[in-house]
Amino acid sequence: MSEHSSPAESHGPITRAGALSASVAAHDHDGGHGDAHADGHGDDHGSHGGIGQYLAVFAALCVLTTMSFLTYSSVWPWRDEPHVGWAFMMAVSCTKAMLVVLFFMHVLWEANWKYVLTIPAAMMAIFLALMLIPDVGMRNRMAAQERVLHMARPSDVLLMERAAESQMLADPASH
Amino acid sequence: MNASAHSIPHGHDDRDAHGHDDHGGGHGHIVLQYQPGLPLSKGKLIMWLFLSTEIMFFAALLGSYVVLRFGAAVWPKPHHVHLSEPIGAFNTFVLICSSVTIVLALEAAKANKVAMAKNWMLATLLLGCLFLGIKGYEYSAKFSHGIYPAQPHSRIYEKPDLYYGAAVRARLGEPAIIEQLKELDDTPEEKLSSDEASARRRLQKIRQMVVSPDQQPFDLAVVADQIMPLPSEGTGGHGGHTEGLNDTFPWLRLPAVIPGGNMWASTYFLLTGFHAIHVAVGLLVFAILLTYRLDRKRAGMIENAGLYWHFVDLVWIFLFPLLYLF
């Protein structure tokens, strides 16, 4: 865009190091440079994505979705150990997320600015979630009597399960 | 940003550089361009800044969900709240497909294939609509079971206690329901299907149980189970769904018991609701983009819309296992 077509005029001192690194960065990155730049390197830009590569990523995403769906099916061997399934699904989800971010969002081919924007946001995100643990995650450790009285407890689930098994209202015609 | 762009040749100081430029030379020199700020277009920079705020937004939502879920004494199984895993998996597939089509639209626009870009964009729009349609169907299934994020629509009770019994009695005592019950009682047995006849007998027993003075605590659990049973885990989907009275007689709309169901409903509707809003905004952007000629000049716009759409896909990638499979 216009930053590349401006005439060479010195408004002030430019450090050589700054100019160099800026230039290197400018050449590293692909999109948004305007027509002149895009025309010169049109083929380059096509190749880093490549329809075939996108379709390969798509296939990988489909396979990964099926894999996490596997934990729901009867094939899954760790049905009694939910933690195994959770860890597995999170690993699959993170892999899928990385595939989408790196290939579909072109982050793999972006210059180093990607770290400037994503790392602080990611750190903030993790910090946010961690800060919820003491107040929200442990809220039932020392809950008020009234809350304990009204909240569902595992014994209520057991009660419901026993009610479902009981033949108290058994109706020979119904089943 | 653009006002202060300069070009100087490599290996000379500034004064030398201008000397060369004035002569119209510069061939064989590397032309350096000074560019303060991040080396990307403004639109893309703003989109990425926006996305980094979105990362924090959804991280807060997902983080609170995880923390609430694992901090809760009881959390309902997906079947207890009538979630269908195959539908969720299919929706994941739909969003992944739409992510591919928007990437293909961008590639077509970069190659100046205008018609192709438009078709891929249209495909993305339709897939997004399909996603929202399926989501709407899922929502309506929740609503029909009385699962709403809040009172007064929500008919979810945490446990079969005295409050629950009182709520069932109150519902059965409503004039409209008394009328309907009377009509049901007067219907001759032949006019009812076998399911309905059985349900009528059970309903009559329940009506006695909730008003009985020598009611046992366990009775209310049996009542709750008859009104809306919690499907057991092994049954899988709707195949093994045992019908409750609320299903056989939809007009009953009696209070139901789902342990942990209220917190679940709050988080589910908040998470999927915010995600659905993001999908809707993305669809609006695609609809607007479709009115343009999608050639190389629009590649930047398509790229930014695509970045947003991939992010929406990304959120769903985490939402699907967290909500449907955990």
Side-chain angles (χ1 to χ4, degrees):
Chain A
M1 317 234 171
S2 52
E3 54 260 75
H4 297 288
S5 51
S6 312
E9 262 184 298
S10 61
H11 286 293
I14 310 162
T15 61
R16 175 136 307 135
L20 256 174
S21 66
S23 166
V24 169
H27 280 279
D28 272 357
H29 112 277
D30 60 320
H33 265 292
D35 284 345
H37 195 87
D39 284 344
H41 300 272
D43 294 339
D44 266 5
H45 293 179
S47 71
H48 78 207
I51 308 289
Q53 197 172 43
Y54 289 138
L55 292 180
V57 171
F58 170 67
L61 286 173
C62 289
V63 168
L64 286 167
T65 305
T66 317
M67 276 167 73
S68 62
F69 188 66
L70 217 73
T71 59
Y72 158 78
S73 75
S74 51
V75 190
W76 186 249
W78 295 283
R79 289 194 79 82
D80 300 329
E81 285 286 338
H83 296 90
V84 178
W86 294 341
F88 177 75
M89 277 184 283
M90 276 301 101
V92 167
S93 284
C94 290
T95 314
K96 280 165 75 178
M98 285 317 279
L99 283 177
V100 169
V101 169
L102 289 178
F103 292 96
F104 287 171
M105 293 173 94
H106 300 130
V107 165
L108 190 60
W109 301 286
E110 298 291 6
N112 287 341
W113 60 260
K114 63 192 174 193
Y115 301 116
V116 178
L117 287 179
T118 50
I119 289 179
M123 279 168 68
M124 230 14 220
I126 294 166
F127 183 72
L128 264 171
L130 286 179
M131 286 305 103
L132 289 166
I133 292 174
D135 277 357
V136 184
M138 298 181 176
R139 70 193 182 284
N140 289 332
R141 293 262 173 110
M142 289 205 278
Q145 187 95 48
E146 206 188 342
R147 176 187 268 176
V148 175
L149 203 65
H150 290 292
M151 75 185 190
R153 277 174 291 176
S155 59
D156 297 310
V157 182
L158 271 176
L159 196 66
M160 289 295 287
E161 278 170 7
R162 267 196 224 124
E165 286 163 13
S166 86
Q167 301 293 308
M168 210 159 149
L169 293 184
D171 196 319
S174 69
H175 290 291
Chain B
M1 188 187 265
N2 46 13
S4 51
H6 306 273
S7 83
I8 50 165
H10 181 57
H12 301 263
D13 68 69
D14 283 355
R15 206 168 286 172
D16 259 331
H18 284 291
H20 277 283
D21 276 358
D22 288 344
H23 292 302
H27 296 292
H29 292 283
I30 301 165
V31 180
L32 294 177
Q33 286 163 325
Y34 176 63
Q35 186 187 33
L38 297 174
L40 68 167
S41 75
K42 272 178 220 144
K44 200 167 163 184
L45 172 66
I46 288 165
M47 179 50 76
W48 269 103
L49 280 173
F50 172 66
L51 287 186
S52 59
T53 67
E54 289 277 78
I55 290 172
M56 291 184 268
F57 177 74
F58 275 104
L61 283 179
L62 282 167
S64 356
Y65 167 78
V66 169
V67 162
L68 281 169
R69 185 209 187 292
F70 289 100
V74 175
W75 198 258
K77 299 263 188 309
H79 288 142
H80 294 175
V81 285
H82 307 274
L83 270 180
S84 166
E85 285 89 346
I87 292 181
F90 180 70
N91 244 355
T92 311
F93 177 69
V94 168
L95 266 197
I96 290 173
C97 285
S98 74
S99 256
V100 176
T101 52
I102 190 68
V103 156
L104 293 176
L106 174 62
E107 289 300 312
K110 272 184 182 169
N112 237 350
K113 292 172 188 159
V114 179
M116 209 184 203
K118 200 147 233 174
N119 285 340
W120 285 125
M121 184 70 85
L122 192 65
T124 314
L125 185 70
L126 292 177
L127 285 168
C129 290
L130 179 63
F131 177 88
L132 279 189
I134 294 170
K135 202 79 231 151
Y137 167 75
E138 284 190 295
Y139 270 29
S140 73
K142 303 285 163 298
F143 295 157
S144 74
H145 283 103
I147 303 174
Y148 284 87
Q151 300 278 1
H153 292 294
S154 170
R155 302 197 300 270
I156 302 306
Y157 280 74
E158 290 288 306
K159 49 179 170 182
D161 57 4
L162 289 174
Y163 297 96
Y164 175 67
V168 175
R169 270 199 303 280
R171 176 65 185 161
L172 287 171
E174 281 176 27
I177 292 297
I178 290 176
E179 200 96 333
Q180 291 259 37
L181 285 171
K182 209 171 175 189
E183 202 176 299
L184 180 69
D185 289 340
D186 293 343
T187 315
E189 181 98 17
E190 312 84 74
K191 285 199 176 173
L192 296 169
S193 70
S194 64
D195 277 355
E196 280 172 336
S198 155
R200 185 171 73 171
R201 280 194 291 278
R202 284 178 285 137
L203 179 58
Q204 277 160 354
K205 280 183 196 166
I206 277 170
R207 280 153 73 190
Q208 288 161 9
M209 280 164 87
V210 287
V211 294
S212 164
D214 43 77
Q215 178 190 81
Q216 299 298 308
F218 186 64
D219 291 356
L220 286 172
V222 172
V223 168
D225 180 62
Q226 286 297 325
I227 290 170
M228 192 170 93
L230 298 179
S232 57
E233 214 180 335
T235 51
H238 290 281
H241 188 281
T242 40
E243 263 206 346
L245 293 174
N246 271 351
D247 299 311
T248 319
F249 306 116
W251 47 267
L252 262 179
R253 284 193 273 144
L254 287 167
V257 170
I258 302 177
N262 283 309
M263 188 58 93
W264 177 87
S266 302
T267 52
Y268 172 80
F269 285 110
L270 192 73
L271 283 169
T272 56
F274 268 120
H275 182 260
I277 290 171
H278 279 77
V279 172
V281 169
L283 294 183
L284 195 69
V285 170
F286 293 144
I288 293 168
L289 276 178
L290 272 174
T291 63
Y292 288 94
R293 191 172 178 276
L294 299 176
D295 55 11
R296 190 173 288 163
K297 279 183 200 151
R298 305 279 178 218
M301 282 168 80
I302 299 172
E303 189 184 11
N304 292 338
L307 282 174
Y308 174 79
W309 191 251
H310 295 311
F311 179 78
V312 172
D313 182 23
L314 209 68
V315 171
W316 185 257
I317 283 174
F318 285 102
L319 274 186
F320 167 63
L322 281 174
L323 289 175
Y324 288 78
L325 301 171
F326 259 47

